[in-house]
Amino acid sequence: MACARVPLDEQQVTEPGPLGKERTLPALHPDRKEERYFVPYKPLPEDSTPAEVEEFLEHAKFITEDLEWLLALPHDKFWCQVVFDESLQRCLDSYLHHAPRGLDLAALPSSPAVAEMQRSVHRMVFLTFLRMATHKESKENFLTPAVFGEIIYDNFLFDIPKILDLCMLFGKGNSQLLHKMIENIFTQQPSYYSDLDETVPTVLEVFDTILDRCGLQCEGATAMEPMKLNAHKQPTAMTMSQQELVDIILYLCDSTTTIHAFLDIFPAACSSFHSHSFLDRLTSFYETAVPDLEKALRKRNFDDKGVQEDAWKRLSHSCRKMVEMAHLVLHHTCLQPILEGGENMQTFAEELLQHFTSFLPEKRFLSDYDEQFPIADDISLLHQALPVIDETRTSYLLQGVESAWDSVGRRKPQSQIQLRTSSSFVANQGAVGGASAASSSASFNPQEVREPGEGGESLRGAEAMLDVSRKGNNGAVCPVSGAELESLLSCIRDLLPDLGEGFLLACLQEYDYNSELVINNILEDRLAPNLDKLDRAMPRPVKEEVSSVLSKRSNVFDDDEFDIFRRDQVDMSRIWKGRRKGESARELLDDKQHIAEQKARYQAYETVVDEVVIEPGESAASYGLDDYDDEYDDTYDMNQVGANDLDGDSLLNRRPFTVPQVLRKGNKHEDVDEGEDEDEEEESVQNNVNRDQFVQDPALLRERAEARRAAMQQRKGIRPERPSNVVGRAKGQGQTLETFLDRRKKEANKSRGANHNRRTMADRKRNKGMIPS
């Protein structure tokens, strides 16, 4: 066995060799590996047959059982298997490569059994990687940190692509564990930082590849090389095949989602991406490729509208993730140091403003970024943290943001028109952190996409996507006030009175509430296809009044004297904060008003009458008693018939009623004292007669118990046992047979009691507190 408190890499173990002879080996040695083959993961194919489903379940069961066996191994055996078993690494790599992502709608499980098995494999793989990233499991089972870093790096247990796949697959719901795992890997092996620096240019090549495939490379930010001779032959997003266009969008969606998950879980990587001008490349790619891809999806006619809608959802998801990636890099490289209040706050603020200035030419990206993360909030934060910031420069930036919104033909949401400044710098710090966490935790859900065709016939295909792209994520939100909307409607109806208000509202919503454009398109008959399908006499939809929350609320204080929601007037003299004015603590304690209020209640019980003798010819009413009621309920009456007889057992010899001292009058104290002196002698005599025996005579108790026992044995027909006699006669006179049997019985059963369980009884007494500890 290995010694405790010694790192695994320094331990030596003694085991029998192949010939049976014992030998000493290091704890980490290839000969200590168990012979076990880990099968690789194979995903369930689309439109699978029952035979393929059964094969998948059996295959996944093998993987689950093997990984459960691996996780149950002790620390040294586990690391021997991980380091020297190549089939295990192939199994784990195959799952990272082929496991279905959250965006793969076609990879949804076909049955509950498949879903349960997939969850089991998913969990086992994650636990395996989690244990592989832990160098210290306990005080006895651990690896030297430096040796741990060398093991995982030299044996390729972890690398940057694997870490990216881990963030993509397991990030949702396990972000904290993944953060600790990746942080430990980078801390124990700093070489991963250099690998990350070498990986970032490869990640940026994703953007160049997409631009090249779409024929946009000459417009990219890195187009400093001469144009190739065959550049004109490159297909564009409008001319390439539909399948190739869909593949490009899938490639973009998978890449952006993976990079965003990695930056969100491991923010320390943002500095590496920032050092390679990631923001400049990202914004340039966004401005160049996104409008071209959106145009291709809207204009082209797809054979399968479902494929077209899915591609549009993935492209929208990719756009959102690219904007969130830019915010993550800015937040962790510029904003976070400002919030922490370091020495170089001015430098970071200047860098942040430079990045915002570089965004100004990228109109589409700037408007999308400002929609999710308002730049006005960040500038307001800078003014509060650093009052020396040039206001002219920040005003120029805000005007550039407004210009970007106008150039893309969109209206800024009403919630962002005014600066949302908070009352303190701390509140801004929490708001920025909360916005970052909320944005980074967003995940793609196809059900979040709005159903098209609100207020008219349903739209399909590119028309529905166009409708979604124009109205934004919040649906049909009117950017003008109610008065402005009524003015626009009246202006149009003055020229076109035969059109219904419902139709005009749809036209205004379609053309961003531009009344001149609506009138021009109606007169020239150039309305959008979805508007041509509508009834031009369609009335204005009736808005359903939403009931107030106060009308539905239910509370125990409803309709009380202080319910301001149901009462127009409240007695304010009964409401005050703290102590009343002019009222001291002594006056509050001396106020005995509550005692006077209780006097009447106790006076009703002052006179207690058990029986009233009614003289012949008089009625009960003359004595203040009610007449007999035939239906009187005497369930709870306390009158006990016969209880006052002299031969009774003193059932009603109770203590006479006594008025509480605080309610007594001054002249009654002496009467009560005199009455108590007279009753003392009678009570003492009575107590001697009917004295409660607290401890009864033990001999009497034994006699009663023996009598009960004899009566019970007699009823059951049990012969009473003969009393034991182990003393017998004097020595030398011989013993009877009964004495001999009693002695043998005592000898056989003496271990049941006696002093053989003294410790047990002592513990029992100590537990009950009989023996002081």
Side-chain angles (χ1 to χ4, degrees):
M1 293 298 294
C3 299
R5 304 300 178 94
V6 177
L8 181 62
D9 50 278
E10 299 179 5
Q11 293 180 10
Q12 302 287 331
V13 295
T14 303
E15 292 183 352
L19 302 178
K21 185 178 180 180
E22 291 187 353
R23 58 176 180 172
T24 302
L25 298 174
L28 289 176
H29 195 273
D31 292 344
R32 302 194 66 210
K33 175 180 69 71
E34 299 289 342
E35 294 298 331
R36 195 180 186 96
Y37 180 74
F38 292 83
V39 295
Y41 175 83
K42 294 181 181 180
L44 183 66
E46 298 181 11
D47 300 329
S48 54
T49 62
E52 291 175 337
V53 172
E54 184 178 358
E55 181 183 1
F56 170 80
L57 293 176
E58 185 177 7
H59 205 80
K61 184 178 180 182
F62 290 154
I63 297 176
T64 304
E65 292 176 352
D66 290 341
L67 294 181
E68 286 179 352
W69 170 84
L70 176 68
L71 293 173
L73 291 177
H75 187 250
D76 54 342
K77 289 287 188 178
F78 172 81
W79 278 103
C80 289
Q81 204 73 26
V82 167
V83 174
F84 303 112
D85 194 340
E86 297 181 358
S87 65
L88 171 61
Q89 297 305 319
R90 287 195 297 269
C91 173
L92 297 177
D93 292 346
S94 65
Y95 185 81
L96 294 181
H97 182 68
H98 296 292
R101 268 57 175 171
L103 303 177
D104 297 337
L105 301 181
L108 293 177
S110 57
S111 65
V114 174
E116 182 64 27
M117 185 58 66
Q118 180 65 36
R119 282 194 294 268
S120 300
V121 176
H122 191 78
R123 182 174 181 272
M124 288 296 105
V125 172
F126 177 68
L127 292 178
T128 302
F129 276 109
L130 185 61
R131 189 175 183 185
M132 288 167 54
T134 305
H135 71 281
K136 184 176 181 181
E137 297 182 3
S138 64
K139 295 181 179 180
E140 291 78 17
N141 300 323
F142 63 96
L143 284 165
T144 304
V147 177
F148 168 76
E150 294 178 0
I151 290 175
I152 62 175
Y153 191 80
D154 296 340
N155 294 280
F156 296 95
L157 301 184
F158 290 98
D159 52 31
I160 300 301
K162 284 185 180 180
I163 294 175
L164 291 174
D165 287 334
L166 287 173
C167 294
M168 176 64 180
L169 287 173
F170 305 103
K172 188 175 182 181
N174 302 291
S175 57
Q176 295 183 354
L177 284 176
L178 272 176
H179 173 74
K180 293 181 180 180
M181 185 174 79
I182 298 174
E183 186 179 29
N184 186 54
I185 292 173
F186 277 79
T187 302
Q188 308 305 335
Q189 182 52 271
S191 299
Y192 282 108
Y193 283 105
S194 60
D195 290 354
L196 180 60
D197 290 332
E198 297 176 1
T199 306
V200 174
T202 306
V203 173
L204 294 176
E205 289 181 3
V206 173
F207 302 145
D208 297 337
T209 302
I210 295 176
L211 291 175
D212 183 62
R213 296 291 297 274
C214 295
L216 303 171
Q217 185 63 45
C218 58
E219 302 177 10
T222 61
M224 302 302 293
E225 302 177 357
M227 184 182 298
K228 298 180 181 180
L229 295 178
N230 59 348
H232 63 281
K233 298 181 181 180
Q234 288 288 340
T236 63
M238 291 295 296
T239 59
M240 66 176 60
S241 63
Q242 293 183 4
Q243 185 60 43
E244 189 174 1
L245 176 61
V246 172
D247 290 342
I248 289 176
I249 295 177
L250 292 176
Y251 178 53
L252 174 63
C253 182
D254 183 70
S255 301
T256 53
T257 306
T258 302
I259 299 171
H260 173 267
F262 176 62
L263 294 178
D264 181 29
I265 293 173
F266 188 58
C270 292
S271 58
S272 298
F273 280 77
H274 184 255
S275 62
H276 288 79
S277 302
F278 177 74
L279 288 176
D280 296 336
R281 299 284 296 277
L282 177 66
T283 55
S284 176
F285 168 80
Y286 192 98
E287 193 72 17
T288 304
V290 170
D292 191 70
L293 292 174
E294 288 181 347
K295 179 182 177 181
L297 286 178
R298 286 198 299 264
K299 298 294 184 180
R300 297 186 61 167
N301 294 323
F302 280 73
D303 299 333
D304 188 355
K305 296 300 182 182
V307 175
Q308 187 180 15
E309 293 178 2
D310 181 68
W312 181 269
K313 294 175 185 177
R314 291 178 182 272
L315 181 59
S316 301
H317 178 73
S318 303
C319 295
R320 185 166 66 251
K321 291 304 176 185
M322 283 189 283
V323 171
E324 291 175 359
M325 279 192 291
H327 178 72
L328 282 173
V329 175
L330 284 177
H331 177 75
H332 292 289
T333 58
C334 300
L335 280 174
Q336 191 65 34
I338 296 175
L339 298 178
E340 293 174 355
E343 298 179 355
N344 300 324
M345 292 177 59
Q346 184 69 33
T347 304
F348 290 116
E350 181 66 25
E351 185 177 2
L352 179 63
L353 292 177
Q354 288 181 0
H355 282 299
F356 285 155
T357 305
S358 66
F359 291 168
L360 293 179
E362 319 295 347
K363 305 293 185 181
R364 172 63 189 277
F365 175 81
L366 184 60
S367 60
D368 290 348
Y369 182 91
D370 187 64
E371 183 179 8
Q372 293 192 45
F373 309 101
I375 296 179
D377 289 352
D378 296 337
I379 292 179
S380 175
L381 175 66
L382 290 180
H383 279 296
Q384 295 185 33
L386 296 171
V388 296
I389 295 295
D390 187 8
E391 293 187 2
T392 304
R393 186 177 181 182
T394 56
S395 300
Y396 170 74
L397 285 176
L398 293 177
Q399 292 176 3
V401 174
E402 298 292 339
S403 176
W405 280 92
D406 295 337
S407 63
V408 298
R410 299 163 58 190
R411 288 180 177 269
K412 196 171 184 179
Q414 291 291 328
S415 60
Q416 299 181 17
I417 290 183
Q418 296 180 353
L419 295 180
R420 292 175 293 178
T421 57
S422 56
S423 59
S424 64
F425 175 70
V426 178
N428 270 286
Q429 179 176 357
V432 173
S436 174
S439 65
S440 62
S441 62
S443 59
F444 177 72
N445 184 3
Q447 302 299 329
E448 293 176 355
V449 180
R450 178 183 56 85
E451 289 295 333
E454 292 183 0
E457 296 182 7
S458 61
L459 308 180
R460 293 184 180 179
E463 298 175 3
M465 300 171 193
L466 178 62
D467 188 71
V468 172
S469 64
R470 289 175 177 172
K471 295 180 182 178
N473 296 332
N474 296 331
V477 179
C478 181
V480 297
S481 62
E484 293 176 348
L485 183 60
E486 295 297 335
S487 176
L488 293 175
L489 287 175
S490 63
C491 178
I492 300 175
R493 294 207 67 185
D494 290 341
L495 296 176
L496 305 170
D498 57 328
L499 300 180
E501 290 188 359
F503 174 75
L504 294 180
L505 282 175
C507 294
L508 287 172
Q509 187 176 1
E510 179 71 22
Y511 296 107
D512 294 334
Y513 297 91
N514 189 338
S515 59
E516 296 179 358
L517 186 59
V518 170
I519 295 173
N520 183 63
N521 288 339
I522 292 176
L523 294 177
E524 296 183 1
D525 199 14
R526 294 192 306 175
L527 291 175
N530 59 313
L531 296 177
D532 280 336
K533 299 177 182 180
L534 299 179
D535 181 12
R536 299 205 172 194
M538 182 175 61
R540 192 170 188 172
V542 180
K543 293 183 179 180
E544 297 182 0
E545 295 184 0
V546 182
S547 58
S548 175
V549 178
L550 296 177
S551 62
K552 295 181 179 179
R553 99 196 218 293
S554 179
N555 196 287
V556 296
F557 300 108
D558 285 348
D559 299 318
D560 64 359
E561 56 180 328
F562 300 111
D563 190 357
I564 60 175
F565 298 108
R566 290 177 171 83
R567 291 179 179 269
D568 297 332
Q569 296 180 355
V570 178
D571 187 5
M572 300 302 295
S573 62
R574 299 196 57 196
I575 302 175
W576 66 88
K577 183 178 180 181
R579 187 180 300 165
R580 285 187 179 181
K581 295 181 180 180
E583 184 179 48
S584 62
R586 175 56 59 186
E587 293 177 355
L588 184 64
L589 294 176
D590 292 341
D591 184 11
K592 305 302 181 182
Q593 181 181 359
H594 59 285
I595 296 179
E597 294 175 355
Q598 298 295 331
K599 276 188 175 182
R601 176 179 298 179
Y602 281 98
Q603 285 176 356
Y605 298 98
E606 186 174 4
T607 303
V608 179
V609 179
D610 290 337
E611 294 181 0
V612 177
V613 181
I614 300 177
E615 298 295 336
E618 296 181 356
S619 62
S622 60
Y623 290 90
L625 303 176
D626 296 336
D627 295 338
Y628 173 73
D629 186 4
D630 185 57
E631 298 181 357
Y632 175 73
D633 185 8
D634 58 352
T635 303
Y636 301 101
D637 284 354
M638 299 301 296
N639 298 327
Q640 303 184 31
V641 179
N644 292 333
D645 297 342
L646 297 178
D647 56 349
D649 54 354
S650 303
L651 291 178
L652 293 181
N653 289 334
R654 60 183 180 226
R655 177 185 175 190
F657 178 78
T658 304
V659 179
Q661 187 174 0
V662 295
L663 301 178
R664 295 177 185 173
K665 297 181 180 179
N667 56 358
K668 288 191 176 183
H669 286 288
E670 298 178 359
D671 299 339
V672 174
D673 294 339
E674 293 176 1
E676 290 178 355
D677 294 338
E678 295 175 358
D679 295 340
E680 283 181 356
E681 296 181 1
E682 297 180 1
E683 290 180 359
S684 60
V685 175
Q686 184 176 1
N687 289 338
N688 290 332
V689 176
N690 297 324
R691 183 179 58 182
D692 184 13
Q693 296 181 353
F694 182 73
V695 178
Q696 299 185 14
D697 186 6
L700 181 60
L701 294 177
R702 285 195 294 269
E703 292 179 1
R704 293 177 180 175
E706 184 64 27
R708 287 195 301 269
R709 193 160 41 248
M712 182 182 63
Q713 292 177 353
Q714 185 176 4
R715 286 197 306 270
K716 295 183 178 180
I718 301 176
R719 181 180 177 183
E721 294 185 0
R722 179 181 51 81
S724 176
N725 181 19
V726 295
V727 178
R729 302 175 182 175
K731 187 175 182 180
Q733 298 182 4
Q735 305 296 336
T736 61
L737 179 61
E738 288 78 3
T739 302
F740 176 74
L741 293 177
D742 290 341
R743 289 180 178 178
R744 187 169 64 176
K745 181 178 180 182
K746 178 182 178 182
E747 181 68 22
N749 299 318
K750 67 179 182 179
S751 61
R752 183 176 60 85
N755 291 328
H756 296 278
N757 56 351
R758 284 174 295 180
R759 177 172 296 180
T760 303
M761 299 304 295
D763 293 340
R764 182 178 178 185
K765 291 181 179 181
R766 185 178 294 106
N767 293 336
K768 291 185 177 182
M770 300 180 182
I771 302 176
S773 58

